């Protein structure tokens, strides 16, 4: 997969991209990430990327020309014929659809992805209307620009690409797409500051351990994120139990 990221601050991506899973995925050629500075697509002496908002108001708006030209360049230089047509061009914006694991899966299915990061008061509306094919928000809180949101999207998508996670982890993940929160996990020491690991986990009884973990996941989900149980994969007994507790 190829991911092109347009930003006024492309340097900020180097840290996250050069660690851990994303780093390995890039090294192994499973994903290629191109960082492009929107400022490089200006033509005036001052490399102007923003301007005042028509109609007035505080703050600056990103001009459309450099962003359109950057995407044109990506389409020219990396698309072999028909591919440019269906190329997803994602604008990160507080007004986008709320990012989720489902959207990550959808994005991971494309061979090529373009992410546009705005700054200041956002981008000229014509970018949204005539260039972006999709708008995504990572949550209802205010960021200063789209960069951190794009990093979240990249990390969530890259993890899903074939070969990125080890087969063991991805198999666990598959079976774990239960829609429940995770069960509590422990490692050594067996007792830390007087706090002991639950005895069941030391029993070696794998059927009992699996049962305990499932219960813990269900109870935790019920307590913290009850709405997840509406769509979680539950056994008939679990569904019955849940309905008796909260109809
Ligand atoms: C892009 C500029 C700054 C600040 C108007 C739009 C995403 N979940 C999210 N929260 N915030 C953003 C986000 C914020 C952005 C830009 C994404 C470009 N800003 C804000 C206040 C007023 N702009 C986001 N995805």
């Amino acid at each position: 997969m190829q991911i092109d990221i347009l930003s006024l601050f492309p340097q900020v991506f180097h840290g996250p991209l050069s660690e851990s899973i994303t780093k390995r995925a890039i090294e192994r050629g499973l994903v290629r990430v191109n960082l492009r500075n929107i400022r490089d697509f200006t033509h005036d002496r001052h490399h102007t990327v923003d301007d005042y908002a028509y109609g007035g108001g505080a703050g600056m708006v990103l001009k459309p020309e450099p962003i359109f030209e950057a995407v044109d360049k990506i389409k020219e230089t990396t698309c072999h014929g028909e591919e440019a047509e269906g190329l997803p061009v994602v604008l990160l914006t507080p007004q986008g659809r709320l990012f989720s694991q489902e959207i990550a899966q959808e994005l991971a299915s494309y061979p090529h992805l373009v992410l546009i990061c705005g700054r200041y008061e956002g981008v000229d509306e014509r970018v949204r209307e005539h260039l972006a094919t999709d708008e995504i928000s990572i949550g209802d809180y205010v960021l200063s620009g789209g960069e951190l949101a794009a990093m979240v999207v990249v990390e969530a998508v890259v993890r899903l690409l074939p070969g990125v996670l080890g087969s063991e982890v991805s198999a666990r993940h598959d079976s774990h797409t239960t829609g429940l929160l995770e069960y509590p996990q422990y490692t050594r020491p067996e007792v830390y500051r007087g706090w002991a690991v639950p005895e069941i986990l030391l029993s070696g009884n794998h059927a009992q351990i699996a049962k305990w973990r499932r219960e813990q996941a269900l109870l935790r989900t019920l307590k913290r994120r009850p709405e997840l149980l509406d769509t979680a994969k539950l056994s008939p007994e679990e569904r019955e139990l849940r309905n008796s507790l909260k109809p």
Side-chain angles (χ1 to χ4, degrees):
M1 175 182 224
Q2 179 178 328
I3 304 177
D4 286 86
I5 304 175
L6 306 188
S7 164
L8 287 175
F9 305 100
Q11 339 70 264
V12 307
F13 290 90
H14 283 120
L17 290 175
S18 61
E19 291 296 335
S20 184
I21 292 172
T22 319
K23 179 190 186 183
R24 270 193 18 242
I26 293 169
E27 283 172 355
R28 294 163 67 194
L30 300 170
V31 63
R32 184 187 159 89
V33 182
N34 294 324
L35 302 173
R36 297 173 187 265
N37 194 328
I38 293 169
R39 204 172 290 280
D40 292 344
F41 297 87
T42 55
H43 302 292
D44 64 309
R45 290 202 323 122
H46 298 103
H47 303 284
T48 313
V49 293
D50 59 350
D51 207 337
Y52 301 98
Y54 275 120
M60 305 295 275
V61 174
L62 290 193
K63 294 165 65 58
E65 305 96 314
I67 300 176
F68 272 87
E69 289 182 35
V71 174
D72 285 347
K73 178 66 86 187
I74 292 167
K75 288 177 177 173
E76 272 169 35
T77 56
T78 60
C79 295
H80 323 92
E82 83 259 63
E83 205 196 306
E85 280 282 312
L87 177 66
V89 178
V90 179
L91 178 67
L92 285 313
T93 163
Q95 300 153 69
R97 55 185 179 135
L98 191 59
F99 192 54
S100 63
Q101 192 61 23
E102 198 179 331
I103 295 177
Q105 265 155 8
E106 177 189 326
L107 298 181
S109 74
Y110 295 106
H112 189 183
L113 203 56
V114 177
L115 303 177
I116 301 175
C117 306
R119 276 271 155 176
Y120 316 123
E121 291 307 304
V123 301
D124 184 284
E125 186 66 15
R126 287 161 292 191
V127 169
R128 183 190 309 282
E129 276 193 328
H130 304 293
L131 186 62
T133 61
D134 197 358
E135 298 175 43
I136 288 174
S137 162
I138 62 160
D140 294 335
Y141 35 80
V142 182
L143 302 174
S144 304
E147 283 78 9
L148 288 172
M151 286 186 229
V152 166
V153 169
V154 168
E155 185 159 312
V157 167
V158 168
R159 287 173 56 80
L160 294 173
L161 300 177
V164 168
L165 297 185
S167 55
E168 203 176 295
V169 185
S170 64
R172 196 180 75 91
H173 187 87
D174 284 350
S175 66
H176 246 266
T177 316
T178 55
L180 299 178
L181 299 182
E182 300 270 318
Y183 51 76
Q185 303 200 81
Y186 297 86
T187 185
R188 291 194 287 183
E190 196 178 315
V191 180
Y192 179 65
R193 297 192 176 189
W195 301 307
V197 172
E199 220 171 276
I200 182 88
L201 297 176
L202 312 174
S203 69
N205 185 335
H206 297 291
Q208 283 298 104
I209 290 170
K211 182 168 175 277
W212 180 84
R213 286 179 167 169
R214 179 74 185 177
E215 279 167 10
Q216 292 295 311
L218 277 164
L219 288 171
R220 184 164 279 193
T221 309
L222 187 65
K223 196 163 187 185
R224 299 188 185 189
R225 299 288 305 278
E227 79 282 5
L228 295 182
L229 293 173
D230 296 342
T231 49
K233 289 178 197 153
L234 301 182
S235 73
E237 295 78 23
E238 290 167 342
R239 180 65 58 199
E240 195 60 45
L241 177 66
R242 180 261 174 195
N243 287 340
S244 74
L245 291 169
K246 191 188 175 232

